[in-house]
Amino acid sequence: MFTLHPQLAQDCAVVGDYPICRVLLNKQFSQFPWLILVPKRTGLRDLTDMAEQDYLPVMEEVRAAHDTLRDLSGADKMNMAAIGNMVPQLHIHLIARFKDDACWPKPVWGNADPSPYDADALVKMVETVRETLDLSPVSE
Amino acid sequence: MFTLHPQLAQDCAVVGDYPICRVLLNKQFSQFPWLILVPKRTGLRDLTDMAEQDYLPVMEEVRAAHDTLRDLSGADKMNMAAIGNMVPQLHIHLIARFKDDACWPKPVWGNADPSPYDADALVKMVETVRETLDLSPVSE
């Protein structure tokens, strides 16, 4: 049974579900809207550990979330990555970057100081993303 | 007409062509085999700037190259990313990481000192990758 890795659960707010991926919002970095997609499958680490029938549908979910986040944020550039050297549960980063953000043009990992959403802003952002991505609510 | 960005041309050896992507080997980092896939299209920057009919086929090329590089290298973890904050031509990184490599578990960007292939090792690596990925030679 799928459960979210504790580190992802700690750092992120759950936004909602695509058919295959759970969509998270990184709570720690309000300066660049940052979604994380986690396929709701067990035992995945590398991107291609997904079953063949999941891989392309997940890539379609990635595309939809990517473009919606780009439109929503007005990003100058989108960054997409599956790294997972530290958190051993497959998760796909989608990050809206801006030419005036604090670590541009460096990648965010290891280069950005946290700037958490305040409570109201977090609730608003999660609702906005859930609605614009047209995600299902998470039932557990 | 497609031409490779000068920075990619400088840093990489051309390995060969998939139907859509040109496959490059990063010459500067022999410590972690590092491929870069560049769709042979003009005007692409973000991952989803690709035409709809290219996106999933490119993701299949990514999967094939990812898995072949993983097998070939014996990587402990694969890293995949489309960042492009500095080089404004869509390019997809596939990097074989090892738990004893010099910047594990950090991402490689900005954290790794170059360790270029010597000439013989580069020729051998390019040939090995071209053969195992079953790429077409590049004709220009």
Side-chain angles (χ1 to χ4, degrees):
Chain A
M1 185 182 149
F2 172 76
T3 53
L4 206 54
H5 187 281
Q7 188 69 50
L8 294 173
Q10 180 181 313
D11 293 342
C12 299
V14 173
V15 181
D17 277 349
Y18 275 127
I20 303 179
C21 291
R22 182 145 300 166
V23 178
L24 311 176
L25 173 73
N26 190 327
K27 293 188 288 192
Q28 309 303 327
F29 296 93
S30 60
Q31 67 272 52
F32 18 70
W34 180 338
L35 301 182
I36 296 178
L37 271 61
V38 183
K40 291 171 283 181
R41 304 288 189 254
T42 59
L44 306 181
R45 185 148 193 221
D46 280 335
L47 185 67
T48 62
D49 289 343
M50 282 186 275
E52 193 165 342
Q53 68 269 26
D54 285 347
Y55 179 77
L56 293 180
V58 165
M59 288 304 140
E60 290 283 24
E61 294 179 359
V62 164
R63 179 161 65 163
H66 177 288
D67 288 359
T68 303
L69 182 61
R70 181 166 62 177
D71 292 348
L72 192 63
S73 65
D76 293 316
K77 180 74 187 77
M78 292 296 296
N79 292 171
M80 179 275 202
I83 301 175
N85 300 346
M86 297 208 264
V87 172
Q89 177 178 57
L90 175 60
H91 58 288
I92 301 166
H93 300 276
L94 294 173
I95 308 163
R97 299 297 307 276
F98 302 90
K99 289 179 179 170
D100 61 358
D101 73 38
C103 64
W104 180 267
K106 294 179 188 168
V108 296
W109 306 277
N111 296 314
D113 294 322
S115 172
Y117 291 87
D118 69 32
D120 287 350
L122 183 64
V123 168
K124 186 159 185 286
M125 185 67 178
V126 166
E127 281 179 4
T128 302
V129 173
R130 185 187 296 128
E131 282 171 18
T132 53
L133 269 67
D134 196 21
L135 301 174
S136 306
V138 171
S139 56
E140 287 182 297
Chain B
M1 184 182 149
F2 171 77
T3 54
L4 206 55
H5 187 281
Q7 189 68 51
L8 294 173
Q10 180 181 312
D11 293 341
C12 298
V14 173
V15 181
D17 277 349
Y18 276 127
I20 303 180
C21 291
R22 182 144 300 166
V23 179
L24 312 176
L25 173 72
N26 190 326
K27 294 188 288 191
Q28 311 303 327
F29 296 93
S30 61
Q31 68 273 51
F32 18 70
W34 181 338
L35 301 182
I36 297 178
L37 272 61
V38 184
K40 291 170 285 180
R41 304 288 189 253
T42 58
L44 307 181
R45 185 148 193 221
D46 281 334
L47 185 68
T48 61
D49 289 343
M50 282 186 273
E52 193 165 342
Q53 68 269 25
D54 284 347
Y55 178 77
L56 292 181
V58 165
M59 288 304 141
E60 290 283 25
E61 294 179 359
V62 164
R63 179 161 66 162
H66 177 289
D67 288 358
T68 303
L69 182 61
R70 182 165 62 178
D71 292 348
L72 192 64
S73 65
D76 294 315
K77 181 75 189 75
M78 292 296 296
N79 292 171
M80 179 275 203
I83 300 176
N85 300 346
M86 297 209 262
V87 172
Q89 177 178 58
L90 175 61
H91 59 288
I92 301 167
H93 300 276
L94 294 173
I95 308 162
R97 299 297 306 276
F98 302 90
K99 288 180 180 169
D100 61 357
D101 73 39
C103 64
W104 180 267
K106 294 178 188 169
V108 296
W109 306 277
N111 296 313
D113 295 321
S115 172
Y117 290 87
D118 68 34
D120 287 350
L122 182 64
V123 169
K124 187 161 183 285
M125 185 67 179
V126 166
E127 281 179 5
T128 302
V129 173
R130 184 187 295 128
E131 282 170 18
T132 51
L133 270 66
D134 196 22
L135 300 174
S136 305
V138 172
S139 57
E140 286 182 298

